[in-house]
C-alpha cells in the first residue's frame, strides 16, 4: 500500500497538483461525496486538461473517482472492488485514508496470503497425531492427512477430490452430519467402519457470510483400547480362568507398554544382583510394589522385607529407626533395640522419600553401604549386617547436590542403578488391564459380581491425567464397586473430577432404534438393528440392550436365536 499521499481542496491549481505528482506524491480530493485520486502515474495526463484547477477536471470527469475500502488485515479479499480500473483507497477504523494500491497488487497480495495460510494448515494437519479430514459443501474430500491414510489404509490419491461417501457408509459419517446440522461435535465416540473405533471432534466451516461451506473432523484412534476392554470384559463376565503366573512376579505389574516394559526389564536384571537400587517416580506410581517384587525375585526372597518412610518418621527418630539404639542410650533397658537395617539382615530394606533423611544420617548410611557395618545410636561396637538397600524418591537428587541438600557420597553410592517409573498419564495403554485387575480385586473383597465398563467409562479413565497415579486409580475403582448396584459401571459412578473432563458417548438416533425394535419387524430387519446397536456401543451388550429398549437377557436370547454370538 502506497501511503505517500496528500489531501488538497478542489480549488487547487493544476500546476500545484502536477508539482505533487512529479514529486511522487499522490493527491486526493473530495467532490460531491466522492473521493478522487491522482497518482504519480497520472502526471502525464495533466497536460491534456485545459482547466485551471482540480474542480474543472472532476466536475465533468469520473475517471479519477476511486473506491474506498475499509482495512481488515484478517479478511481483505471479500472487500475488494473487482471491476474498477483505478487504484483502491484504504481507510482505517476511524475513517482516515491511509493509502492506496492498484487492484492487481491487492489481488496478488491476497493470493500470496491465501497460499501462506494454506501452507500453515497443511503443516498443522501433518503435525497433529489425529486423523484429519476436510470436506467441501458437497462432501468432496479436500484434505486427508497421513494419519488418516494409516488409520484407514487409504492413500490420499484415492480419496482427494472424491465424495467421502464412496469409501464410507454415508449414514455413519459425522463430518457429513455436521454439514446438515451445522453443529460442533466434541470428544464423541464414533465407529466409521466396523473394525475402527475413534474419538471424534468435528466442526462446520463457514464463510464470511456465515454459510456452511464444508466440514473438518479430527479422529483419535481408540480401536485397540476398545478391543482390549471387550476382551477383558468378556473374560471377566463369563468367568474364564486366568492362568496364574506366580513363577514370574513381574507379571503383577500390569502393563505391556514400552514405558513400563523398560522398567520391568531393568528391574529383572537388578533383582539378580546385590547392588543398591534407586527408584524415581511421582507419588503413587508403585515404587514400593516394585521394590517388593525385586526382593521377592531375588535370592533374598526368604528373608525379611522391611520399609522405612523418611517422610513419616520424625527426623529426630530416624537414626534410631534405621540403626537402632544401644541399651541405656534412651531408656534404662540393657538390651537396646535393633534398627530396621539390622532387623532386615540378609533381606531387603526399602527406604522411601530418601530426600527427607537428614544429612548427618545420610553420611552414616553411606558408611554402612561402603563398610557393611552399623553402629547403634549410643553404642560403639560395629555390627556386621548384609542388608540390601532399595531407595525411592520423588525428587531430582542430582539437583539437590548443587545446593548441598543431599550427600554427594551417598548419591553416587546409590545411583549405580536408577530406575525411573513413569507416571500413569504416560502409560495410558496399561490402564485397561490395571482397571480390570482392581475390578476383580474389589469385587471379591465386597462380594459382588465383576461389573462391566461402559465404553464412555473406559475413555474417561484413559483420558484422565491421574495426578495421584496408581493409588488414585485404585481408589476410583473401589468407589465404583461400592456405588454400583448392577452389572454396568457408568459415568455416574465416577468422581466428579473425571465426569467434568470426559466425553459423553451419545449414540445417534437411539430413540428411533428402540421404537423400531419394539415394533413388528422382519427377522432380517431385527438382525440389522441388533448389529447396529452393538456397533454403536462398541460391542457392549448391556448398553446395546438399553439402546434397543429391551433387557440384556432378551438381547442374549435374540443373539443366540440369530446366531450372532
Amino acid at each position: 500500500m502506497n501511503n505517500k499521499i496528500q489531501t488538497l481542496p478542489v480549488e487547487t491549481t493544476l500546476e500545484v497538483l502536477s508539482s505533487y505528482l512529479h514529486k511522487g506524491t499522490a493527491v486526493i480530493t473530495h467532490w460531491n461525496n466522492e473521493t478522487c485520486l491522482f497518482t504519480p502515474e497520472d502526471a502525464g495526463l495533466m497536460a491534456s486538461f485545459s482547466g485551471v484547477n482540480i474542480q474543472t477536471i472532476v466536475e465533468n470527469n469520473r475517471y479519477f473517482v476511486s473506491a474506498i475500502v475499509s482495512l481488515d488485515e484478517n479478511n481483505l479479499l471479500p472487500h475488494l472492488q473487482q471491476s474498477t480500473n483505478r487504484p483502491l483507497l484504504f481507510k482505517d477504523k476511524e475513517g482516515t485514508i491511509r493509502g492506496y494500491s492498484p487492484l492487481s497488487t491487492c489481488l496478488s497480495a491476497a493470493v500470496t496470503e491465501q497460499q501462506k495460510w494454506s501452507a500453515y494448515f497443511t503443516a498443522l494437519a501433518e503435525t497433529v497425531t489425529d486423523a484429519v479430514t476436510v470436506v467441501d459443501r458437497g462432501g468432496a474430500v479436500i484434505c486427508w492427512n497421513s494419519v488418516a491414510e494409516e488409520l484407514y489404509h487409504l492413500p490420499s490419491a484415492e480419496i482427494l477430490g472424491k465424495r467421502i461417501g464412496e469409501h464410507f457408509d454415508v449414514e455413519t459419517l459425522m463430518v457429513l452430519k455436521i454439514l446438515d446440522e451445522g453443529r460442533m461435535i466434541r470428544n464423541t465416540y464414533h465407529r466409521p467402519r466396523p473394525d475402527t473405533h475413534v474419538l471424534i471432534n468435528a466442526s462446520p466451516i463457514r464463510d464470511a457470510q456465515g454459510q456452511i461451506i464444508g466440514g473438518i473432523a479430527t479422529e483419535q484412534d481408540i480401536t485397540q483400547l476398545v478391543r482390549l476392554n471387550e476382551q477383558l470384559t468378556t473374560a471377566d463376565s463369563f468367568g474364564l480362568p486366568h492362568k496364574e503366573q506366580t513363577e514370574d512376579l513381574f507379571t503383577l505389574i500390569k502393563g505391556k507398554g514400552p514405558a513400563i516394559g523398560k522398567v520391568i526389564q531393568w528391574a529383572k536384571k537388578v533383582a539378580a544382583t546385590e547392588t543398591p537400587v534407586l527408584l524415581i517416580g511421582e507419588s503413587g506410581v508403585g515404587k514400593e510394589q516394585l521394590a517388593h517384587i525385586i526382593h521377592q525375585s531375588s535370592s533374598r526372597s526368604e528373608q525379611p522385607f522391611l520399609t522405612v518412610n523418611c517422610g513419616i518418621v520424625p527426623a529426630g527418630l530416624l537414626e534410631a529407626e534405621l540403626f537402632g539404639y544401644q541399651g541405656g542410650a534412651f531408656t534404662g533397658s540393657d538390651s537396646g533395640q535393633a534398627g530396621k537395617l539390622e532387623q532386615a539382615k540378609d533381606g531387603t530394606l526399602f527406604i522411601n522419600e530418601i530426600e527427607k533423611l537428614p544429612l548427618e544420617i545420610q553420611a552414616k548410611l553411606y558408611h554402612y553401604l561402603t563398610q557393611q557395618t552399623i553402629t547403634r545410636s549410643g553404642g560403639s561396637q560395629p555390627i556386621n549386617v548384609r542388608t540390601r538397600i532399595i531407595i525411592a524418591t520423588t525428587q531430582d537428587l542430582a539437583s539437590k547436590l548443587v545446593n548441598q541438600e543431599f550427600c554427594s557420597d551417598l548419591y553416587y553410592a546409590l545411583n549405580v542403578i536408577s530406575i525411573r517409573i513413569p507416571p500413569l498419564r504416560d502409560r495410558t495403554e496399561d490402564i485397561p488391564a490395571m482397571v480390570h485387575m482392581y475390578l476383580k480385586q474389589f469385587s471379591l473383597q465386597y462380594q459382588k459380581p465383576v461389573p462391566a465398563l461402559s465404553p464412555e467409562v473406559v475413555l474417561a479413565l484413559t483420558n484422565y491425567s491421574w495426578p495421584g497415579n496408581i493409588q488414585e486409580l485404585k481408589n476410583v475403582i473401589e468407589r465404583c464397586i461400592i456405588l454400583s448396584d448392577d452389572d454396568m459401571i457408568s459415568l455416574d459412578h465416577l468422581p466428579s473430577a473425571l465426569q467434568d473432563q470426559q466425553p459423553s458417548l451419545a449414540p445417534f438416533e437411539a430413540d428411533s432404534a428402540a421404537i423400531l425394535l419394539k415394533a413388528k419387524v422382519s427377522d432380517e430387519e431385527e438382525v440389522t438393528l441388533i448389529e447396529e446397536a452393538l456397533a454403536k456401543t462398541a460391542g457392549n451388550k448391556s448398553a446395546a440392550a438399553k439402546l434397543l429398549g429391551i433387557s440384556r437377557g432378551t438381547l442374549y436370547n435374540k443373539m443366540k436365536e440369530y446366531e450372532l454370538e
Side-chain angles (χ1 to χ4, degrees):
M1 182 174 65
N2 298 297
N3 53 18
K4 193 175 182 180
I5 192 168
Q6 178 69 42
T7 301
L8 298 177
V10 292
E11 294 82 13
T12 303
T13 64
L14 296 185
E15 182 180 359
V16 173
L17 171 61
S18 296
S19 66
Y20 276 102
L21 300 182
H22 283 294
K23 294 176 183 178
T25 301
V27 171
I28 59 172
T29 188
H30 302 287
W31 174 256
N32 289 342
N33 297 321
E34 292 182 318
T35 301
C36 298
L37 170 68
F38 299 88
T39 69
E41 289 75 18
D42 298 326
L45 298 176
M46 295 300 102
S48 62
F49 294 103
S50 57
V52 295
N53 56 22
I54 296 176
Q55 181 176 345
T56 59
I57 298 178
V58 301
E59 63 184 358
N60 296 314
N61 193 329
R62 293 183 52 81
Y63 174 79
F64 295 100
V65 175
S66 291
I68 300 177
V69 177
S70 296
L71 280 173
D72 185 348
E73 296 178 358
N74 296 321
N75 199 14
L76 173 66
L77 192 59
H79 301 296
L80 297 181
Q81 304 291 323
Q82 299 186 25
S83 60
T84 180
N85 60 353
R86 293 295 294 165
L88 300 174
L89 289 167
F90 293 90
K91 65 178 181 180
D92 58 22
K93 295 179 180 179
E94 288 72 32
T96 303
I97 293 178
R98 301 291 300 277
Y100 68 96
S101 180
L103 177 60
S104 60
T105 303
C106 294
L107 291 174
S108 177
V111 170
T112 300
E113 192 71 8
Q114 282 190 323
Q115 291 173 341
K116 182 176 71 175
W117 281 105
S118 177
Y120 287 158
F121 177 79
T122 300
L124 175 63
E126 290 300 329
T127 301
V128 297
T129 57
D130 293 347
V132 178
T133 306
V134 183
V135 299
D136 63 17
R137 190 65 184 88
V141 179
I142 58 178
C143 178
W144 185 260
N145 73 345
S146 56
V147 180
E149 290 182 315
E150 183 178 351
L151 176 61
Y152 295 109
H153 306 290
L154 184 60
S156 59
E158 295 182 12
I159 192 171
L160 287 178
K162 300 178 182 177
R163 287 185 55 82
I164 195 169
E166 295 180 20
H167 296 276
F168 298 88
D169 184 356
V170 174
E171 296 301 320
T172 68
L173 287 174
M174 297 255 191
V175 73
L176 293 185
K177 289 181 182 291
I178 64 172
L179 291 180
D180 297 329
E181 301 172 9
R183 64 185 179 91
M184 298 170 60
I185 296 171
R186 287 292 176 267
N187 292 326
T188 301
Y189 168 76
H190 182 40
R191 197 170 184 177
R193 285 182 171 178
D195 60 346
T196 307
H197 305 264
V198 299
L199 192 62
I200 188 171
N201 291 278
S203 299
I205 302 173
R206 301 179 184 272
D207 62 15
Q209 288 71 44
Q211 299 298 313
I212 295 177
I213 59 173
I216 182 171
T218 63
E219 297 166 300
Q220 177 187 352
D221 185 11
I222 59 170
T223 303
Q224 295 302 321
L225 176 64
V226 172
R227 286 177 180 171
L228 178 58
N229 177 53
E230 291 173 349
Q231 294 167 2
L232 293 172
T233 301
T234 302
D236 288 335
S237 300
F238 293 95
L240 296 179
H242 291 271
K243 181 182 178 181
E244 296 296 331
Q245 295 179 312
T246 53
E247 67 276 6
D248 185 1
L249 293 171
F250 287 96
T251 59
L252 296 174
I253 302 176
K254 293 297 180 181
K256 298 180 180 179
I260 197 65
K262 185 176 181 180
V263 170
I264 294 173
Q265 178 186 2
W266 286 18
K268 284 183 177 180
K269 291 181 178 180
V270 301
T273 70
E274 299 291 314
T275 186
V277 183
L278 175 61
L279 303 181
I280 307 168
E282 298 176 4
S283 297
V285 296
K287 297 187 290 295
E288 184 170 354
Q289 179 197 25
L290 181 59
H292 203 170
I293 291 175
I294 291 173
H295 167 75
Q296 290 294 100
S297 301
S298 72
S299 59
R300 299 171 177 260
S301 59
E302 300 298 324
Q303 304 303 322
F305 175 85
L306 302 180
T307 66
V308 173
N309 191 321
C310 300
I312 297 177
V313 180
L317 297 180
L318 275 171
E319 183 175 7
E321 183 77 4
L322 286 170
F323 299 96
Y325 57 86
Q326 190 62 38
F330 299 105
T331 68
S333 171
D334 293 332
S335 60
Q337 176 68 49
K340 290 291 181 67
L341 274 167
E342 197 173 342
Q343 294 174 35
K345 183 178 180 181
D346 298 325
T348 302
L349 178 62
F350 174 64
I351 305 177
N352 201 0
E353 297 190 76
I354 187 66
E355 71 277 2
K356 296 182 180 178
L357 190 67
L359 287 172
E360 63 273 14
I361 306 178
Q362 290 181 27
K364 194 169 182 178
L365 181 60
Y366 168 71
H367 179 271
Y368 161 71
L369 289 173
T370 56
Q371 302 298 323
Q372 294 291 285
T373 62
I374 64 169
T375 302
R376 292 183 180 181
S377 297
S380 59
Q381 184 67 33
I383 302 173
N384 291 323
V385 176
R386 297 190 62 82
T387 299
R388 184 182 193 176
I389 301 294
I390 299 181
I391 305 294
T393 181
T394 61
Q395 305 292 316
D396 179 8
L397 297 183
S399 65
K400 291 184 172 294
L401 298 180
V402 178
N403 298 324
Q404 297 182 340
E405 297 174 351
F406 198 85
C407 175
S408 59
D409 289 339
L410 178 61
Y411 172 75
Y412 293 115
L414 295 175
N415 201 32
V416 178
I417 298 293
S418 61
I419 301 176
R420 188 174 296 274
I421 305 175
L424 197 54
R425 62 180 173 274
D426 292 342
R427 42 181 295 215
T428 55
E429 67 275 6
D430 298 334
I431 290 178
M434 299 174 67
V435 167
H436 285 275
M437 176 183 67
Y438 291 132
L439 282 174
K440 290 185 290 182
Q441 175 183 323
F442 290 117
S443 295
L444 180 63
Q445 177 179 334
Y446 293 103
Q447 298 183 353
K448 287 186 173 184
V450 179
L453 300 175
S454 67
E456 55 190 351
V457 169
V458 177
L459 289 176
L461 295 175
T462 53
N463 287 337
Y464 185 56
S465 61
W466 298 109
N469 291 294
I470 295 175
Q471 186 59 53
E472 184 181 9
L473 173 63
K474 186 177 180 180
N475 293 344
V476 167
I477 299 304
E478 184 175 10
R479 166 199 169 97
C480 291
I481 293 295
I482 294 173
L483 296 181
S484 64
D485 294 321
D486 52 26
D487 56 0
M488 176 67 66
I489 291 178
S490 64
L491 273 179
D492 294 337
H493 297 123
L494 297 178
S496 57
L498 274 78
Q499 293 188 41
D500 294 343
Q501 300 180 23
Q502 304 310 320
S504 176
L505 274 60
F508 286 96
E509 304 166 1
D511 294 338
S512 61
I515 294 172
L516 284 172
L517 192 58
K518 291 177 180 178
K520 186 176 181 180
V521 296
S522 67
D523 290 350
E524 291 79 8
E525 292 172 323
E526 195 166 60
V527 169
T528 301
L529 288 172
I530 292 173
E531 289 177 340
E532 289 178 351
L534 289 170
K536 290 176 181 177
T537 58
N540 191 300
K541 297 180 180 62
S542 295
K546 292 178 182 178
L547 179 63
L548 294 167
I550 59 178
S551 68
R552 192 177 71 157
T554 300
L555 177 60
Y556 274 113
N557 291 334
K558 288 184 176 292
M559 291 177 65
K560 185 176 181 180
E561 176 185 350
Y562 295 126
E563 298 181 351
L564 296 177
E565 295 290 348

